[in-house]
Every structure is written in C-alpha cells, then in structure tokens.
Amino acid sequence: MKEYVAQNKVPFNQNQLKSKLNSGKDELKLIFASDANAEKTYTAVVDEFMLHVGSKDTEGLLEARQGFDKIPSIKKLLDSQGMGENVKREVVLTARRKANEYIAELLPEGNPYRSSLLKETRMIEALDNIAEKNRVMIGKNTDLPKVNLILD
C-alpha cells in the first residue's frame, strides 16, 4: 500500500484533516459525559497526530498514521490498563480510525487499499478487544478451542 500511495499522492487540506479527526468526538459523546478529561485527551491526541504529519499529501498522512501508535505518549495511552483506562484507549482508537477513514477517502475510488484501510482498523480493534478480554487467561490451562485468525 505504501508504494501505491507514494505513486498516487493526493494533497489534502490540513483543516479538513483536523475536522475529520475531530469528528470522532461525536462518537464519544457518552464517554465525554462520564469522564471530564476524556475530551481534553481526545483534543491532545488529535494535536499530537497533526504534529507528526510531514508532507501534506496522502503519503505523509499514511506515514503519520503508521507511526502514530509508536509515539511514546500514544503508546502509553494504548497500553493503559485498569479501571477507567479503557477510555484513553478508546480515544486513541477512535482518532486512529478517523485517520484511516480520511486516507481512504482521499484515495481514488476503486483501488483495493481503500477498503483495506477500513477493514484493517476494524480488525486491529477486534484483536485488541479479544486480547483485552482474554488477558486474565494468560498462563492458565484452559480447554477453549484454538482460533486461527487470518488477516489479509
């Protein structure tokens, strides 16, 4: 996908990107209502993402998105555990999904990567949810059937 995006760069408007990222706030209204700091965290996450966008085209945007999870402060939010910490994870996951959606919108219609970006986000979130829910079983002998996940 990186090669395709590099060869088919599409410029974007930074204000439109920020608007797209901030549109995730609508999805998190209930979380914001229950956690006064969650909206501030979301704004900080969006601002951090914007700082890492190099060139103002789809290539720079994809690089920023792929490096997003490796930013130490973002990684800390993603790795948060404990009560209330899932709010921080959800904030980061929503911003990540909005970035992928924006990249997908910029890519030409009919290319295979457009749907892959959206599918990738959902699969990563599903894997994270499975891992989180089964964390208590790690190291325990269980009789649960093994499940093989095949990702495109």
Side-chain angles (χ1 to χ4, degrees):
M1 173 169 32
K2 255 184 163 177
E3 188 176 308
Y4 176 86
V5 171
Q7 291 174 356
N8 298 283
K9 292 181 195 178
V10 177
F12 67 87
N13 178 302
Q14 199 162 355
N15 290 331
Q16 289 175 340
L17 168 61
K18 192 162 189 167
S19 291
K20 180 64 175 188
L21 294 174
N22 281 323
S23 72
K25 288 182 177 184
D26 293 337
E27 297 174 16
L28 300 175
K29 280 184 182 178
L30 291 176
I31 290 174
F32 296 158
S34 66
D35 185 335
N37 291 317
E39 190 166 2
K40 290 177 187 174
T41 302
Y42 193 92
T43 299
V45 166
V46 168
D47 290 345
E48 187 68 22
F49 184 90
M50 296 298 293
L51 288 174
H52 289 84
V53 177
S55 59
K56 306 300 183 237
D57 56 37
T58 46
E59 183 178 28
L61 183 54
L62 181 62
E63 286 175 7
R65 173 39 212 111
Q66 290 177 332
F68 183 63
D69 296 350
K70 296 174 187 151
I71 299 168
S73 56
I74 299 300
K75 187 168 178 32
K76 185 177 179 181
L77 292 174
L78 282 171
D79 293 341
S80 297
Q81 296 176 12
M83 290 303 280
E85 299 301 312
N86 58 348
V87 169
K88 294 175 184 174
R89 285 178 43 81
E90 189 60 35
V91 161
V92 173
L93 293 175
T94 301
R96 177 205 285 164
R97 185 175 62 256
K98 291 301 176 181
N100 276 351
E101 287 173 4
Y102 190 68
I103 296 168
E105 288 171 13
L106 292 173
L107 295 175
E109 286 190 39
N111 77 73
Y113 301 112
R114 193 174 184 153
S115 63
S116 293
L117 274 167
L118 301 176
K119 190 187 305 183
E120 173 191 274
T121 298
R122 289 189 293 274
M123 287 191 294
I124 289 171
E125 288 175 5
L127 287 172
D128 286 348
N129 286 337
I130 291 168
E132 182 67 29
K133 292 193 185 322
N134 291 297
R135 185 176 306 231
V136 295
M137 290 193 218
I138 294 175
K140 295 182 180 178
N141 187 9
T142 62
D143 294 329
L144 296 175
K146 292 185 179 183
V147 177
N148 293 321
L149 295 175
I150 300 171
L151 304 176
D152 292 339

